[in-house]
Amino acid sequence: MLFPFCRRLTSGNRSPFSYFIRIHHGHTAAGPHFAHDILVASRRHRIGERMRASRTRSILVTGCAGFIGFHVARRLLEERYRVVGLDNLNAYYDVSLKQARLAQLISQTGFEFLKADLASREGTESLFKQHQFDYVVHLAAQAGVRYSISDPYAYVDSNLAGFAHLLEGCRRGGIKHLVFASSSSVYGANTRMPFSPHQPADHPISLYAATKKANEAMAHAYAHLYRFPATGLRFFTVYGPWGRPDMALFLFTRAILEGRPIDVFNCGVMLRDFTYIDDATEAVARVMLRPAEPNLDWRSDQPDSASSSAPYRLYNVGNSQPVDLNELIKTLEAKLGKKAQVNLLEMQPGDVPATSADISDLTRDIGFRPSTPLAVGVGRFVDWYRSYYGL
């Protein structure tokens, strides 16, 4: 029986650079799922060969000490690419975790770290004057739907001003391709699922989502005006080792192991398209090497949101298999060997009850489909968590 405040998931209820630090100088969890690991290794070999064949300068990865940015930077380094990683190491969550990720990157040949903030116009201009990049993978942002309610200016500075400064750098730097992180949050009030990048996403319900939608519009304007390729990736609930402490899987794991109740919103009546980090990383690496091109069939009288007459594309990056939140909890309980104490709460402002990704465009264009099973991904996260915290 649902509490009065819980929503049902039914079709009938659609209701400056401050300073530079320059340091010049990977592993995948193994498990019983050998076939899946071998397939991933094969994919990595093929894309690695293409990367080495096309290498001339270097890649800028912003947000390199963040969750997805760390994994992408490490993956590119494993492919022997030269990577310039940028991060401001802000205190949105535990800085020591960001520093630990960064230490993994610093130990590898071909990596240069810049501690900097894209919100500084002068600093970003200096970055692009001092470096030449083939590709820019922009994963830096102020993340979090709920935090955008309490500190909106952090999102304006990082996600809007910072992105504008980056676009200007890309324009002047003559890059081959900008790949930038968007979010499934842009779908906002939409209830038609699976979410498709071809459908309008004009009703964000959080400032975070609004800034990500604005990033898409800004990137398109630059692609149109200056003809440099730009591709946006709408990530769907990425999880896995080295994850963010503000995400549900991390919060639940910590609380269960400490014997504290977990906060479950909307009584757990929620669906999420959980995407394992290795799958998200694979998608980024493949998309990067496929610069967006104009859609020759694009019509201004029937505009397609996912493409353009400019060199611009949008893709969903998800597992395309939505999971009930209670199933996630049960899977986590089984891996931890401990039951969760549950604190049922109403839906939080800015949150949505369900997400589901249509990834047909992604699969068609890059020949890859995220497929890591939830049990595999959760297991690898828990193994990492126990190891990292010495439990």
Side-chain angles (χ1 to χ4, degrees), residues 9-154:
L9 296 180
T10 65
S11 58
N13 185 27
R14 299 190 183 277
S15 26
F17 280 59
S18 52
Y19 56 91
F20 288 104
I21 298 176
R22 290 185 177 84
I23 307 172
H24 297 276
H25 278 274
H27 68 259
T28 301
H33 306 274
F34 300 116
H36 178 267
D37 292 339
I38 290 171
L39 179 59
V40 170
S42 174
R43 289 170 178 155
R44 289 188 173 186
H45 173 74
R46 292 196 300 271
I47 194 169
E49 290 301 314
R50 293 199 300 276
M51 285 181 172
R52 286 188 284 275
S54 66
R55 174 168 54 190
T56 57
R57 293 183 287 184
S58 61
I59 302 168
L60 172 65
V61 177
T62 70
C64 68
F67 176 35
I68 301 177
F70 158 69
H71 281 275
V72 169
R74 186 171 67 174
R75 164 66 184 280
L76 296 175
L77 289 167
E78 288 172 352
E79 302 291 352
R80 295 166 46 202
Y81 239 90
R82 287 187 294 119
V83 174
V84 175
L86 179 147
D87 204 288
N88 67 1
L89 297 175
N90 70 25
Y92 170 60
Y93 62 79
D94 185 9
V95 176
S96 66
L97 177 58
K98 298 180 181 183
Q99 293 170 332
R101 295 183 187 127
L102 188 58
Q104 297 272 318
L105 300 176
I106 289 171
S107 67
Q108 298 195 44
T109 301
F111 182 72
E112 177 182 357
F113 175 58
L114 306 177
K115 185 179 187 298
D117 193 337
L118 291 172
S120 164
R121 175 178 170 182
E122 295 78 10
T124 309
E125 289 176 349
S126 177
L127 168 68
F128 282 90
K129 287 177 181 177
Q130 294 182 31
H131 294 80
Q132 287 186 309
F133 303 111
D134 279 330
Y135 305 98
V136 173
V137 180
H138 178 56
L139 300 167
Q142 179 56 61
V145 167
R146 295 158 192 167
Y147 187 60
S148 68
I149 295 173
S150 60
D151 189 0
Y153 292 110

